[in-house]
Amino acid sequence: MTIDEIRQLIKNDEHRCLELKKSTGELKDGMQSACAFLNTEGGWLIFGIAPTSLKVTGQIVNDSTQRDIAQALAALEPAIDAKVQYIKVPEIEGHQLIAIHFEGWKDGQIPYTFQGRPYYRVESSTRAMPREMYDERLRSSNPNRFAWETQIAEGASVKDLDEERIRAAVRLGVAGGRINASAEGDKVESLLTKFKLLRDGKPTNAAIVLFGKQTDDYPQLLLRMARFRGTDKMEFTDNRHVAGNFFDLLDAGIEFCFKHLNLSGKVVGLRREEHLEIPVEALREALTNALCHRRYDDPRTSVSLAIYDDRIEIINPGRLPASLTPDNIKETHESFPYNVRIAQVLYQATYLESWGTGVHRMVSFCQKQGLQEPEYLVDHNGVHITFWKSAPSIQKTIQKTIQKDPETIQKAIQKSLETRGITVTDFQLNILAFFFLNPEATRKDYIASGKDISEGGTISNISRLQELGLLRRQGGRKGGRWVVVVDDLN
């Protein structure tokens, strides 16, 4: 890297992938940021530039400096091979910049730590990684060892599993050519062993999720369903909670859809074809994905199915793999199951495909019925998928024509947050309203939009809103946009 490339890199100040330090006197803080880069999207760490003024001063580099840098890099775990570049500062004799680039984290890697602590990036800030995020990444790095689904189900035995459900799954797998026909004559223990659902001869949590007869000790094995009147949650006409294993919940969800969705039919040739408002194949795929790929280790969470006048929403308390976003999930991609054991059994039983084609199939089913593609959203509640009915969305029409009045937007946001018990400051409310009205604006645009708006205050409050799940960034710095995650606004 040349000095000119350095000047070009820093001209827009620090950001998610750039950290500037005045000298290696801040080496420890710099290595915390290095750890954060390794756990996020990667980035440059540069010593010898004042972060506020962006003045390029460099520093004297000697053997002691190089040893200190090497020792600091050695404190990053797992070990990395980072190339340290020394760039001369033309204006100051004997001074050099120190630039180090760090690759970003990939799904399935062990989380990085510096001196035993993990860090990650939130915009231009380095933060200590929350325990939940660290545990989640540790789990994904070695699911056989750390995943909840592979742990022994405490107090359970093979007798606590539904044999008919097990054999039904085998029959479907045989019919679909994914299980050898000889398996139909096997004992239950043998089938569970082949499904990798036993550990030391005892059922795993995955076995309970798939085939458990009694799920009282697993409150997360729940599907919440509601039919709301209108387009919000103010009034419901039906509200049900169903507990059970995967197949119980899937059956209950599809039955609820048939109960509350309109059924139409037409004669094609000599046959009458009947269709739900939303293709049942797409709904079954979405529910299967939600029940398969969700987080099961938190007993406070559950999958929900909400039917409104204009749409259906299915919310899965989980996350997307690091390589997938709501923007690219409809593109061709590999399969990244969150619960590998559960997904493998469902694949063998023909409930799932293994090549990441589920989203494409849902899109195709909707298009064939003349409906718009399903929409994805990820926030602090989990992964949302929305199916829009054939009639235009009344709420969306209102949203498109809503008066562009910041005060009106602020009041609407505040009201929505109050119903969820979330409190934000006036400054944060102003940020949410600004980016709702100007999603393609930059942070600097917001700072320039009013008097007495400081850069530091803006950065810290945007970071706080992102931590609350109320504001997120789609896309990169160029061509990206802000999304305000508030009910009834997006």
Side-chain angles (χ1 to χ4, degrees), residues 44 57 116 133 136 188 215 223 312 314 316 343 347 389 407 479:
W44 283 96
T57 58
M133 181 186 293
E136 171 57 28
V188 170
T215 59
L223 177 62
I312 295 178
I314 297 172
N316 150 25
Y347 168 75
K389 297 182 180 180
E407 185 176 348

Side-chain angles (χ1 to χ4, degrees), residues 211-432:
F211 303 119
K213 287 190 291 189
Q214 296 294 330
T215 59
D216 293 346
D217 293 334
Y218 292 80
Q220 63 269 55
L221 299 186
L222 179 76
L223 177 62
R224 296 183 296 121
M225 300 174 287
R227 172 61 170 103
F228 295 101
R229 190 189 304 278
T231 59
D232 56 32
K233 297 179 180 179
M234 297 300 292
E235 180 183 0
F236 60 82
T237 59
D238 194 359
N239 187 20
R240 292 186 61 198
H241 288 189
V242 175
N245 61 44
F246 168 90
F247 300 98
D248 296 333
L249 300 184
L250 180 62
D251 290 347
I254 296 301
E255 179 184 347
F256 193 79
C257 290
F258 269 99
K259 179 179 179 181
H260 291 291
L261 293 178
N262 294 327
L263 186 68
S264 62
K266 64 178 180 179
V267 177
V268 178
L270 299 177
R271 295 186 306 155
R272 176 179 173 83
E273 293 185 354
E274 294 186 332
H275 301 281
L276 284 181
E277 290 177 273
I278 307 296
V280 66
E281 299 91 344
L283 293 171
R284 183 178 288 111
E285 187 81 36
L287 268 174
T288 297
N289 287 340
L291 292 167
C292 172
H293 302 309
R294 58 153 297 184
R295 285 189 57 185
Y296 279 106
D297 56 339
D298 187 346
R300 301 167 298 177
T301 61
S302 60
V303 173
S304 64
L305 166 65
I307 301 179
Y308 301 86
D309 286 355
D310 60 346
R311 68 194 188 281
I312 295 178
E313 293 180 353
I314 297 172
I315 303 177
N316 150 25
R319 65 177 185 90
L320 292 177
S323 59
L324 293 182
T325 69
D327 295 326
N328 68 19
I329 193 171
K330 296 176 187 178
E331 300 171 5
T332 301
H333 60 267
E334 293 295 320
S335 177
F336 301 101
Y338 186 84
N339 300 298
V340 178
R341 289 282 182 268
I342 293 173
Q344 182 62 25
V345 173
L346 294 177
Y347 168 75
Q348 291 178 279
T350 70
Y351 278 80
L352 276 182
E353 298 300 325
S354 65
W355 302 109
T357 60
V359 177
H360 178 74
R361 284 157 50 84
M362 286 187 284
V363 169
S364 179
F365 289 135
C366 290
Q367 289 176 337
K368 287 180 181 179
Q369 202 161 306
L371 302 175
Q372 68 182 76
E373 296 180 1
E375 297 178 357
Y376 276 85
L377 170 70
V378 179
D379 64 11
H380 62 287
N381 291 318
V383 180
H384 303 234
I385 181 170
T386 300
F387 294 94
W388 295 96
K389 297 182 180 180
S390 56
S393 166
I394 297 174
Q395 187 174 353
K396 279 204 158 188
T397 302
I398 293 173
Q399 291 165 1
K400 289 179 180 179
T401 59
I402 191 169
Q403 183 182 1
K404 300 296 185 179
D405 175 13
E407 185 176 348
T408 301
I409 296 297
Q410 285 190 30
K411 289 180 179 178
I413 293 173
Q414 189 169 29
K415 181 178 179 181
S416 179
L417 296 181
E418 286 174 351
T419 62
R420 293 162 55 189
I422 299 176
T423 302
V424 297
T425 66
D426 290 342
F427 191 12
Q428 292 166 350
L429 197 61
N430 186 274
I431 291 174
L432 291 174

